[in-house]
Amino acid sequence: MSTDPILRLDGIVKRFGDFTALHGINLDITEGEFLTIVGPSGSGKSTLIRLLVGMDEVTSGEIRLRGKRIDQTPANERPTCMVFQSLALFPHMSVGQNIEFPLKIQGVPVTDRKARALELLETLRLPTSFYDKRINQCSGGEKQRVALARALAFDPEILFFDEPLSALDYRLRKTLEKELKDLHNRTGKTFVYITHSLEEAMVMSDRIAIMKEGRFEQIAVADEIYGAPVSRFVAEFMGEVNLFDVTGAAKTGLEAQNVEININGNAADLGLALNPGNPGTLMVRPEFVRFLPPGETADFIVAGKMHAEYALGSRIQYEVEAAGKMLTVEKLREDRFMGKPGDKVMLGFDGEAAHLILESPHGAD
Ligand code: ATP
């Protein structure tokens, strides 16, 4: 993987009349990486990808592909980039004709393009007998694979994906997520993928960019986004989380505002202290919270009352009420905690599993 960016976005602004959809986006995409852009509906993901492939024009800013400006280049003259959209196949054509379509446009001879189509069927783990099959005789998952084979037939330097799996059922989506990741590894291509789905992003990506209201809130590897989010927005967007409003305190390093937390020692020793009086948010994911048996301790301890238990397949999720706030705990089924609603419980978590968000409570942006 080279370290020079294959694609550089520099101060990309997109306005629609008075409305600013993108507020100066900067991003370097590394050659060969799988980058996923995640964000809630309306955050600007599609707008951005449309600019990247040339379906729309930037209001200001620059897009460079291998150092060369492409933001003024029309879509059909950006041969290195293309979007893969799930159902953009030609239904009246065969699988083979669909895959060969880009090669036909480029004037590749019949025998060569057939050979390439058969090769791509194998790459996508479809039987070569599918070459003559009609698109409307293929299942949803098979169509996705054909669409991918066709995208690869263009031999683009970067593949852009706009929610390609969102219409599929859960099982098929899970299978194709892994296949896409595998395909990425095998082809070494640069993949830029947009989705609403945090899980999809976590499974497949090298890096994740979280978008909010036309800006990137955080760009990092999945583990960092999950374990060390920069804001409450990212923390909550990336799954279940317990967040405590805190302020810096001279004696203990931190003081909880909404729930009483007993801190063993000083939060500064755990690297989790704020300057006295400064607001912040202490975060811990549910799987790192323990039910403390009598006599057992932890860096942070919260007393609560069991509220409910939910079976989530291999995991069990518990809701525990502490000073009117609902906390979430998750355990593997084999580590199930035996408690009834109403039981008093002690929850504990350690400093290494917690993270301090240096942002005032209630998401002041
Ligand atoms: P979704 O996940 O729902 O597809 P998104 O993150 O892709 O959402 P965009 O489609 O990029 O969001 O839209 C970003 C914002 O820009 C939205 O507020 C949308 O209403 C606005 N927008 C997009 N296209 C246009 C347009 N052609 N004219 C005016 N506003 C637009």
Side-chain angles (χ1 to χ4, degrees), residues 227 270 272 288 299-300 349-355:
L270 305 166
L272 294 166
F288 293 116
D299 292 335
F300 298 91
F349 55 94
D350 292 325
E352 61 195 26
H355 167 68

Side-chain angles (χ1 to χ4, degrees), residues 100-115:
E100 285 175 30
F101 183 73
L103 303 173
K104 194 173 169 185
I105 295 177
Q106 288 164 14
V108 175
V110 178
T111 45
D112 292 356
R113 59 186 200 236
K114 179 164 183 180

Side-chain angles (χ1 to χ4, degrees), residues 16 19 21 40-47 163 196:
F16 297 108
F19 177 73
S41 193
S43 55
K45 306 180 295 294
S46 304
T47 301
E163 307 231 25
H196 279 94

Side-chain angles (χ1 to χ4, degrees), residues 50-286:
R50 286 170 60 82
L51 298 178
L52 299 186
V53 297
M55 286 163 71
D56 207 346
E57 279 183 29
V58 298
T59 305
S60 61
E62 294 182 3
I63 306 173
R64 288 178 187 272
L65 181 76
R66 296 193 190 285
K68 188 169 162 274
R69 264 187 90 163
I70 58 161
D71 42 89
Q72 302 302 321
T73 311
N76 60 352
E77 289 169 30
R78 295 187 198 185
T80 48
C81 309
M82 71 150 290
V83 175
F84 157 57
Q85 276 166 343
S86 54
L87 294 173
L89 294 167
F90 304 113
H92 55 283
M93 289 188 191
S94 68
V95 166
Q97 285 169 326
N98 264 280
I99 298 175
E100 285 175 30
F101 183 73
L103 303 173
K104 194 173 169 185
I105 295 177
Q106 288 164 14
V108 175
V110 178
T111 45
D112 292 356
R113 59 186 200 236
K114 179 164 183 180
R116 179 72 181 131
L118 292 172
E119 216 175 84
L120 285 165
L121 280 173
E122 272 181 44
T123 305
L124 270 302
R125 315 232 190 274
L126 285 169
T128 45
S129 60
F130 267 54
Y131 184 84
D132 292 313
K133 197 165 177 162
R134 306 217 76 77
I135 285 297
N136 52 18
Q137 293 167 344
C138 294
S139 72
E142 289 160 357
K143 281 184 198 155
Q144 294 293 332
R145 292 191 182 96
V146 175
L148 254 176
R150 192 180 61 176
L152 287 170
F154 276 97
D155 199 23
E157 288 203 56
I158 307 179
L159 268 95
F160 293 97
F161 300 89
D162 189 349
E163 307 231 25
L165 309 182
S166 55
L168 302 175
D169 72 53
Y170 181 80
R171 275 184 72 100
L172 186 55
R173 215 165 59 230
K174 293 282 124 198
T175 308
L176 287 172
E177 279 170 13
K178 289 187 183 137
E179 284 186 19
L180 263 176
K181 173 93 192 139
D182 182 50
L183 186 71
H184 172 253
N185 288 338
R186 278 184 288 129
T187 58
K189 296 266 177 207
T190 307
F191 280 21
V192 178
Y193 192 99
I194 69 172
T195 177
H196 279 94
S197 163
L198 135 83
E199 244 183 271
E200 224 165 85
M202 300 274 283
V203 170
M204 299 190 298
S205 327
D206 296 320
R207 277 195 308 163
I208 299 176
I210 307 271
M211 204 167 205
K212 180 190 177 191
E213 294 167 9
R215 292 188 172 87
F216 285 132
E217 184 93 346
Q218 186 168 9
I219 306 172
V221 297
D223 278 356
E224 193 176 329
I225 295 248
Y226 185 76
V230 296
S231 65
R232 292 174 77 109
F233 172 81
V234 174
E236 289 178 312
F237 194 72
M238 296 302 281
E240 294 282 351
V241 68
N242 296 299
L243 298 174
F244 303 97
D245 299 349
V246 290
T247 47
K251 219 168 138 199
T252 49
L254 276 188
E255 225 165 60
Q257 296 301 299
N258 47 356
V259 175
E260 194 175 328
I261 305 180
N262 286 317
I263 304 174
N264 252 329
N266 192 313
D269 298 334
L270 305 166
L272 294 166
L274 288 165
N275 288 332
N278 280 7
T281 301
L282 185 69
M283 173 199 114
V284 62
R285 296 278 175 197

